[in-house]
Amino acid sequence: MSSADSSLALGHSPLPATNGTERTLLTAVGLGLLALLVAAFTADVEQARLSFYAGLALVCGGTLGWSWYKFGRGEEGVQQNNLWLRSSTSRGAVAWVVGIVLTGFYVVLYWYPHYLENLVRTLDPFSLALRARPADQWFLYGTFYTLAVLVMGGRALWKYRNSRYQLVRTGSVMFFQLGFAFILPGILLFFQKPEFYFTYFWPLKYDYLFPGTVDYLIKDGQALGVFMVFWGALMAFLATPVLTYFYGKRWYCSWVCGCGGLAETAGDAYRQLSDKSRRAWRLEVALIYPILGFIILVTLLMWADRLLQNALLGSVAGGLYKTYGFLIGAVFSGVVGVGFYPILGNRVWCRFGCPMAAYLGLLQKHFSRFRITTNGGQCISCGNCSNVCEMGIDVKQYAQRGEPIIRASCVGCGMCSNACPRGVLNLENGPREGRYQASPLIHADSLRILS
Amino acid sequence: MHLVIIGNGITGVTAALTVRRRQPGARITLVSDESAHHYSRTALMYVYMGHMRAQDIKPYEDWFWSENRLELIQATATGLDTGRQQVHLSTGVTLAYDKLLLATGSVTKRYGWPGQNLRGVQGLYGLPDLARMEQDTRGITQAVVVGGGLIGVELAEMLHTRGIHVTMLVREARYWGSVLPPEEARLVDQQLTANGITVRYQTELAEVLADADGRVRAVRTTADEELPAQWLGIATGVAPNLSLVQHTAVETDRGILVNEQLETSVPGVYAAGDCAQHRQAGAGEVPIEQLWYTGRMQGETVGHTLAGQPTPYRRGIWFNSAKFFNLEYQTYGQVPARPAAGSESFYWEPANGQRALRINFDPARSFAVTGFNALGLRLRHDVCEAWLREQAPVQTVVAHLGAANFDPEFYRQHEPEIVAHFNRAFPQQAVQLRQGKCLISKILNL
Ligand SMILES: Cc1cc2nc3c(=O)[nH]c(=O)nc-3n(C[C@H](O)[C@H](O)[C@H](O)COP(=O)(O)OP(=O)(O)OC[C@H]3O[C@@H](n4cnc5c(N)ncnc54)[C@H](O)[C@@H]3O)c2cc1C
Ligand code: SF4
């Protein structure tokens, strides 16, 4: 923009000083993180365990206390003052530090898990109680993940308490993470059943429909295993289209999915960082559909290979599977997807990488009753809606033309509707006829926004 | 045809887009001094509050302009020669035009208060104002805002986010007294109180007092009270920006005078948006409209005319919206501050006073609805518009109120309570709730 606004650049604006209460609470979080670090380097299990649980208590308690202090008191409403002025939420120094620490954690988790050994051992009693087996690095990760969703879910509940939609939705992701992605798989293991996540389906959990997994489930899980295979196929091929037809992809992406759950809770402070440009949209289309194609291809090849008893492909299918697992499963969904939250936003994986999102998106765009309705001519092009869109949709492009928003990528988080100061946006399920109809109260210019 | 547009606000830009759509071959040049690209003036407050960055309030990405062959010049138009059909720019360039659109917007109005030019005294209209405000409000603790209208409350909210204590001076006995009925004004006042804003009603600015460095130190009010303030916001309205057309053949009054087709006294020269004054405003309409929405509608109308299809400006059924701290406001049709003679007004507010709905109607015209005010509720624009246009009786409207409910899913539905309240207030017109929220689809083809 013009030189006149150069003084509005980041970092120049003085933020209100953090007061004593806030400092105390944040110190608790800091000490907690320190205690976790100490635990990671303590070989003595008892000592490590003490440090570990004290650390967790401080981190969780401090975060909850701070969230309540920041968002839970006073008037309810849109709370995003200083979002782009704070270093932590505007790609400042704090954000980079957090990003590097998170990324580092994922790298250690995937490729150097032995560094986590001391932490893993502290969880053994808990793991034995829940799953009747010692902990491993994935159990440690699952515990951290679930705690993050629950604690930061608390923050979201306070922050968005003005909106019932947000309260219900946040409650839902917390419930599915805790119940279906943490406790239930643990209980299955306790009863010597296959570990199974009833809330993850092909193509996100791609191996659930691979011949190897199917064989294993049926052999190892007997009747329950057969049900699991049936459930996986049913959800992927029947429930997904049906539910998406009625409610849009949001039923999964921002209500059930664990990746979405983390993004909506722990990642909430980073939603504004998603790139809204047309360039980013093109990149999204260029990545996500090929990834969906890739996983479909791998799945088909695995089955073809199996039917032909390895005659056709030999190790090719297995190689493809490994490549996909490394590039997409680990690097993209974990390291980049979560590690880069503070830099690229909280839905990078969901937007650019997730094959399930691609599949749901195609359904949402072409076979769904879902749309975001715009309210006549009330839009003032302020841009608040685009700002909070974690999927990088430039929502105002539609609103200022009076057009409903029907985009494959929309996860239906409802934040645009919440942030709009003029009450322009509403998530609705309605008849498919006239779904694209623009409001006659704005005469939309037909100039293309995406060629 | 070469169309030159002065001003890249919503009016100028909407006109440019309309002409581009209708005349793909036209040459269109937008001249504006404030910013290289169109931005949303209405979003200035969010930049100050840190919700967005300056680049986030541009309605279109930068590629949009060249891809649609809209030429942008960042310069001040300093002279206008209507005889030669030329505009002189501050860069020394002279632009020849076939048609000219003046969409120069407004300037902050000041009333000649003593000390009004001191450092720290300003209005909020554009980007330079925002930069100055950013600078001059750093580290201060007290501010005063003059004016009990929409910009006044925006300024109060902005300052509030920086922990600056705000006192508002409001001329009328209640907030936005020229527009809001007392009940609605009271709800806004509750918002102000809840956010720690002090309000002095029936009080005006008398004098601005300086410190040794020529900065504002305090203000004296017409009640002879001295309020310490290190910053003073002027929000007593805006006036059309006439700087370019003064001493030219273009006739002006308070604004640039235009006819129904938004043409000025000089053929081929048009004016629209905040800067235009209608020679003959429609019944119940004001001659100078200073809104984003009216700017957009005028811009579109004049765009048709400029593209060779003369079109009179018809504003259509009035609507507006705003947000007072956390309280959203929408209005449709006519809801005057004092009830018009013969018209009735139904007002509902729940016990906790967080929201309100007002429906005005005219018993003499078979109870036709004439206007809606909604606070803390979202109403569907198209449904309200259709009811007003078709003069639906208030009984029908109340019975089908759910059709106009635009609140998000899971929000409490107030229709049963509203209907019960209506039946108590107007027992002769008592109705039954026929349509809750879910059946919206039906009413859309009313
Ligand atoms: C803080 C604020 C909040 C507002 N909020 C709302 C709202 O919520 N809802 C609503 O309906 N309305 C709102 N308004 C009013 C609304 O923004 C204006 O009515 C609208 O922007 C006017 O548009 P315009 O295109 O006519 O003029 P402008 O947007 O003022 O555009 C005119 C442009 O022309 C430039 N210009 C003028 N003269 C020259 C010249 N000689 N040479 C070169 N350039 C020149 C100016 O610098 C300016 O950039 C708000 C206004 C402000 C200031
Ligand atoms: S937040 Fe609302 S008013 Fe602002 S641009 Fe988006 S839809 Fe329009």
PDB file of all heavy atoms in Angstrom, chain B residues 2 35 37 43 73 85 108 135 139 207 231 238 261 265 292 325 341 368-369 435:
ATOM      1  N   HIS B   2     -12.217   7.010 -23.091  1.00  0.00           N
ATOM      2  CA  HIS B   2     -11.342   7.036 -21.920  1.00  0.00           C
ATOM      3  C   HIS B   2     -12.125   7.598 -20.736  1.00  0.00           C
ATOM      4  O   HIS B   2     -12.514   8.754 -20.723  1.00  0.00           O
ATOM      5  CB  HIS B   2     -10.094   7.898 -22.177  1.00  0.00           C
ATOM      6  CG  HIS B   2      -9.128   7.846 -21.032  1.00  0.00           C
ATOM      7  ND1 HIS B   2      -8.173   8.820 -20.827  1.00  0.00           N
ATOM      8  CD2 HIS B   2      -8.959   6.947 -20.036  1.00  0.00           C
ATOM      9  CE1 HIS B   2      -7.472   8.506 -19.734  1.00  0.00           C
ATOM     10  NE2 HIS B   2      -7.934   7.384 -19.253  1.00  0.00           N
ATOM     11  N   SER B  35      -3.981   5.866  -1.519  1.00  0.00           N
ATOM     12  CA  SER B  35      -3.357   4.540  -1.516  1.00  0.00           C
ATOM     13  C   SER B  35      -3.225   4.055  -2.948  1.00  0.00           C
ATOM     14  O   SER B  35      -4.004   4.436  -3.817  1.00  0.00           O
ATOM     15  CB  SER B  35      -4.227   3.545  -0.722  1.00  0.00           C
ATOM     16  OG  SER B  35      -5.519   3.517  -1.280  1.00  0.00           O
ATOM     17  N   HIS B  37      -3.727   1.053  -3.992  1.00  0.00           N
ATOM     18  CA  HIS B  37      -4.819   0.138  -4.316  1.00  0.00           C
ATOM     19  C   HIS B  37      -6.023   0.441  -3.433  1.00  0.00           C
ATOM     20  O   HIS B  37      -5.881   0.923  -2.316  1.00  0.00           O
ATOM     21  CB  HIS B  37      -4.382  -1.313  -4.107  1.00  0.00           C
ATOM     22  CG  HIS B  37      -3.262  -1.727  -5.007  1.00  0.00           C
ATOM     23  ND1 HIS B  37      -1.967  -1.873  -4.571  1.00  0.00           N
ATOM     24  CD2 HIS B  37      -3.246  -1.995  -6.336  1.00  0.00           C
ATOM     25  CE1 HIS B  37      -1.205  -2.224  -5.581  1.00  0.00           C
ATOM     26  NE2 HIS B  37      -1.946  -2.307  -6.673  1.00  0.00           N
ATOM     27  N   ALA B  43     -12.687  -0.853   7.439  1.00  0.00           N
ATOM     28  CA  ALA B  43     -11.884  -1.798   8.224  1.00  0.00           C
ATOM     29  C   ALA B  43     -10.709  -1.125   8.910  1.00  0.00           C
ATOM     30  O   ALA B  43      -9.895  -1.803   9.538  1.00  0.00           O
ATOM     31  CB  ALA B  43     -11.386  -2.918   7.322  1.00  0.00           C
ATOM     32  N   ILE B  73      -3.367   5.205 -11.051  1.00  0.00           N
ATOM     33  CA  ILE B  73      -2.373   6.263 -10.880  1.00  0.00           C
ATOM     34  C   ILE B  73      -2.487   6.765  -9.458  1.00  0.00           C
ATOM     35  O   ILE B  73      -3.579   7.169  -9.026  1.00  0.00           O
ATOM     36  CB  ILE B  73      -2.616   7.438 -11.850  1.00  0.00           C
ATOM     37  CG1 ILE B  73      -2.555   6.950 -13.302  1.00  0.00           C
ATOM     38  CG2 ILE B  73      -1.602   8.557 -11.608  1.00  0.00           C
ATOM     39  CD1 ILE B  73      -2.798   8.033 -14.334  1.00  0.00           C
ATOM     40  N   GLN B  85     -11.540  19.201 -21.188  1.00  0.00           N
ATOM     41  CA  GLN B  85     -11.695  17.827 -20.712  1.00  0.00           C
ATOM     42  C   GLN B  85     -10.354  17.249 -20.274  1.00  0.00           C
ATOM     43  O   GLN B  85      -9.890  16.222 -20.798  1.00  0.00           O
ATOM     44  CB  GLN B  85     -12.332  16.950 -21.784  1.00  0.00           C
ATOM     45  CG  GLN B  85     -13.663  17.492 -22.258  1.00  0.00           C
ATOM     46  CD  GLN B  85     -14.549  16.407 -22.844  1.00  0.00           C
ATOM     47  OE1 GLN B  85     -14.086  15.461 -23.446  1.00  0.00           O
ATOM     48  NE2 GLN B  85     -15.835  16.554 -22.657  1.00  0.00           N
ATOM     49  N   THR B 108     -13.169  15.056   7.066  1.00  0.00           N
ATOM     50  CA  THR B 108     -13.700  15.204   8.423  1.00  0.00           C
ATOM     51  C   THR B 108     -14.194  16.633   8.635  1.00  0.00           C
ATOM     52  O   THR B 108     -13.537  17.593   8.250  1.00  0.00           O
ATOM     53  CB  THR B 108     -12.596  14.880   9.452  1.00  0.00           C
ATOM     54  OG1 THR B 108     -12.181  13.537   9.239  1.00  0.00           O
ATOM     55  CG2 THR B 108     -13.108  15.040  10.874  1.00  0.00           C
ATOM     56  N   GLN B 135       0.504   6.921  16.063  1.00  0.00           N
ATOM     57  CA  GLN B 135       1.624   7.621  16.688  1.00  0.00           C
ATOM     58  C   GLN B 135       1.212   8.382  17.941  1.00  0.00           C
ATOM     59  O   GLN B 135       1.849   8.288  18.979  1.00  0.00           O
ATOM     60  CB  GLN B 135       2.189   8.636  15.694  1.00  0.00           C
ATOM     61  CG  GLN B 135       3.601   8.353  15.305  1.00  0.00           C
ATOM     62  CD  GLN B 135       3.993   9.204  14.124  1.00  0.00           C
ATOM     63  OE1 GLN B 135       3.555  10.357  13.992  1.00  0.00           O
ATOM     64  NE2 GLN B 135       4.815   8.651  13.262  1.00  0.00           N
ATOM     65  N   GLY B 139       1.221   5.225  24.385  1.00  0.00           N
ATOM     66  CA  GLY B 139       1.612   5.525  25.755  1.00  0.00           C
ATOM     67  C   GLY B 139       0.706   6.507  26.472  1.00  0.00           C
ATOM     68  O   GLY B 139       0.997   6.898  27.595  1.00  0.00           O
ATOM     69  N   GLU B 207     -13.738  23.801  23.965  1.00  0.00           N
ATOM     70  CA  GLU B 207     -12.389  24.293  23.695  1.00  0.00           C
ATOM     71  C   GLU B 207     -11.380  23.178  23.904  1.00  0.00           C
ATOM     72  O   GLU B 207     -11.560  22.314  24.763  1.00  0.00           O
ATOM     73  CB  GLU B 207     -12.092  25.439  24.676  1.00  0.00           C
ATOM     74  CG  GLU B 207     -10.803  26.163  24.402  1.00  0.00           C
ATOM     75  CD  GLU B 207     -10.485  27.207  25.480  1.00  0.00           C
ATOM     76  OE1 GLU B 207     -11.307  27.370  26.413  1.00  0.00           O
ATOM     77  OE2 GLU B 207      -9.419  27.809  25.386  1.00  0.00           O
ATOM     78  N   TRP B 231      -5.349  12.948  23.797  1.00  0.00           N
ATOM     79  CA  TRP B 231      -5.745  12.754  22.399  1.00  0.00           C
ATOM     80  C   TRP B 231      -7.235  13.068  22.300  1.00  0.00           C
ATOM     81  O   TRP B 231      -8.006  12.755  23.214  1.00  0.00           O
ATOM     82  CB  TRP B 231      -5.488  11.301  21.980  1.00  0.00           C
ATOM     83  CG  TRP B 231      -5.624  11.063  20.498  1.00  0.00           C
ATOM     84  CD1 TRP B 231      -4.693  11.299  19.537  1.00  0.00           C
ATOM     85  CD2 TRP B 231      -6.764  10.516  19.812  1.00  0.00           C
ATOM     86  NE1 TRP B 231      -5.171  10.954  18.301  1.00  0.00           N
ATOM     87  CE2 TRP B 231      -6.439  10.466  18.445  1.00  0.00           C
ATOM     88  CE3 TRP B 231      -8.031  10.082  20.218  1.00  0.00           C
ATOM     89  CZ2 TRP B 231      -7.328   9.992  17.479  1.00  0.00           C
ATOM     90  CZ3 TRP B 231      -8.911   9.608  19.249  1.00  0.00           C
ATOM     91  CH2 TRP B 231      -8.562   9.561  17.897  1.00  0.00           C
ATOM     92  N   VAL B 238     -18.813  13.874   8.563  1.00  0.00           N
ATOM     93  CA  VAL B 238     -17.926  14.187   7.448  1.00  0.00           C
ATOM     94  C   VAL B 238     -18.675  15.051   6.441  1.00  0.00           C
ATOM     95  O   VAL B 238     -19.909  15.093   6.438  1.00  0.00           O
ATOM     96  CB  VAL B 238     -17.413  12.896   6.757  1.00  0.00           C
ATOM     97  CG1 VAL B 238     -16.520  12.109   7.690  1.00  0.00           C
ATOM     98  CG2 VAL B 238     -18.577  12.042   6.268  1.00  0.00           C
ATOM     99  N   GLN B 261     -29.305  10.896 -12.766  1.00  0.00           N
ATOM    100  CA  GLN B 261     -28.331   9.971 -13.355  1.00  0.00           C
ATOM    101  C   GLN B 261     -26.923  10.228 -12.861  1.00  0.00           C
ATOM    102  O   GLN B 261     -25.946   9.771 -13.462  1.00  0.00           O
ATOM    103  CB  GLN B 261     -28.394  10.065 -14.874  1.00  0.00           C
ATOM    104  CG  GLN B 261     -29.620   9.346 -15.382  1.00  0.00           C
ATOM    105  CD  GLN B 261     -30.000   9.764 -16.778  1.00  0.00           C
ATOM    106  OE1 GLN B 261     -29.174  10.306 -17.519  1.00  0.00           O
ATOM    107  NE2 GLN B 261     -31.241   9.524 -17.137  1.00  0.00           N
ATOM    108  N   SER B 265     -23.478  19.430 -13.240  1.00  0.00           N
ATOM    109  CA  SER B 265     -23.944  20.498 -14.136  1.00  0.00           C
ATOM    110  C   SER B 265     -23.149  20.526 -15.437  1.00  0.00           C
ATOM    111  O   SER B 265     -23.567  21.128 -16.411  1.00  0.00           O
ATOM    112  CB  SER B 265     -23.829  21.844 -13.414  1.00  0.00           C
ATOM    113  OG  SER B 265     -22.489  22.034 -12.995  1.00  0.00           O
ATOM    114  N   TRP B 292     -20.928   3.157   2.908  1.00  0.00           N
ATOM    115  CA  TRP B 292     -20.276   2.178   2.038  1.00  0.00           C
ATOM    116  C   TRP B 292     -21.294   1.611   1.037  1.00  0.00           C
ATOM    117  O   TRP B 292     -21.047   1.541  -0.159  1.00  0.00           O
ATOM    118  CB  TRP B 292     -19.727   1.058   2.926  1.00  0.00           C
ATOM    119  CG  TRP B 292     -18.986   0.004   2.205  1.00  0.00           C
ATOM    120  CD1 TRP B 292     -19.472  -1.191   1.768  1.00  0.00           C
ATOM    121  CD2 TRP B 292     -17.609   0.044   1.837  1.00  0.00           C
ATOM    122  NE1 TRP B 292     -18.477  -1.894   1.152  1.00  0.00           N
ATOM    123  CE2 TRP B 292     -17.329  -1.171   1.185  1.00  0.00           C
ATOM    124  CE3 TRP B 292     -16.594   0.987   1.995  1.00  0.00           C
ATOM    125  CZ2 TRP B 292     -16.061  -1.461   0.696  1.00  0.00           C
ATOM    126  CZ3 TRP B 292     -15.334   0.679   1.504  1.00  0.00           C
ATOM    127  CH2 TRP B 292     -15.083  -0.525   0.861  1.00  0.00           C
ATOM    128  N   PHE B 325     -19.189  -2.231  19.954  1.00  0.00           N
ATOM    129  CA  PHE B 325     -18.431  -3.180  20.758  1.00  0.00           C
ATOM    130  C   PHE B 325     -18.907  -4.583  20.399  1.00  0.00           C
ATOM    131  O   PHE B 325     -18.706  -4.985  19.265  1.00  0.00           O
ATOM    132  CB  PHE B 325     -18.553  -2.864  22.252  1.00  0.00           C
ATOM    133  CG  PHE B 325     -17.688  -1.681  22.633  1.00  0.00           C
ATOM    134  CD1 PHE B 325     -18.139  -0.379  22.477  1.00  0.00           C
ATOM    135  CD2 PHE B 325     -16.408  -1.880  23.129  1.00  0.00           C
ATOM    136  CE1 PHE B 325     -17.326   0.699  22.803  1.00  0.00           C
ATOM    137  CE2 PHE B 325     -15.591  -0.801  23.456  1.00  0.00           C
ATOM    138  CZ  PHE B 325     -16.053   0.486  23.301  1.00  0.00           C
ATOM    139  N   ALA B 341     -45.975   9.651  12.779  1.00  0.00           N
ATOM    140  CA  ALA B 341     -47.386   9.767  13.167  1.00  0.00           C
ATOM    141  C   ALA B 341     -48.183   8.602  12.581  1.00  0.00           C
ATOM    142  O   ALA B 341     -48.035   8.257  11.414  1.00  0.00           O
ATOM    143  CB  ALA B 341     -47.941  11.095  12.668  1.00  0.00           C
ATOM    144  N   ALA B 368     -49.198  -2.970   7.375  1.00  0.00           N
ATOM    145  CA  ALA B 368     -47.974  -3.261   6.610  1.00  0.00           C
ATOM    146  C   ALA B 368     -46.736  -2.928   7.434  1.00  0.00           C
ATOM    147  O   ALA B 368     -46.670  -1.892   8.079  1.00  0.00           O
ATOM    148  CB  ALA B 368     -47.968  -2.433   5.321  1.00  0.00           C
ATOM    149  N   VAL B 369     -45.733  -3.812   7.414  1.00  0.00           N
ATOM    150  CA  VAL B 369     -44.491  -3.526   8.137  1.00  0.00           C
ATOM    151  C   VAL B 369     -43.735  -2.430   7.401  1.00  0.00           C
ATOM    152  O   VAL B 369     -43.725  -2.368   6.169  1.00  0.00           O
ATOM    153  CB  VAL B 369     -43.560  -4.749   8.296  1.00  0.00           C
ATOM    154  CG1 VAL B 369     -44.078  -5.688   9.337  1.00  0.00           C
ATOM    155  CG2 VAL B 369     -43.327  -5.421   6.970  1.00  0.00           C
ATOM    156  N   GLN B 435     -43.772 -20.342  11.540  1.00  0.00           N
ATOM    157  CA  GLN B 435     -42.538 -20.741  10.902  1.00  0.00           C
ATOM    158  C   GLN B 435     -41.350 -20.483  11.804  1.00  0.00           C
ATOM    159  O   GLN B 435     -40.994 -19.355  12.079  1.00  0.00           O
ATOM    160  CB  GLN B 435     -42.371 -19.956   9.609  1.00  0.00           C
ATOM    161  CG  GLN B 435     -41.267 -20.524   8.776  1.00  0.00           C
ATOM    162  CD  GLN B 435     -41.435 -20.137   7.337  1.00  0.00           C
ATOM    163  OE1 GLN B 435     -42.205 -19.244   7.012  1.00  0.00           O
ATOM    164  NE2 GLN B 435     -40.709 -20.786   6.470  1.00  0.00           N
TER     165      GLN B 435
END
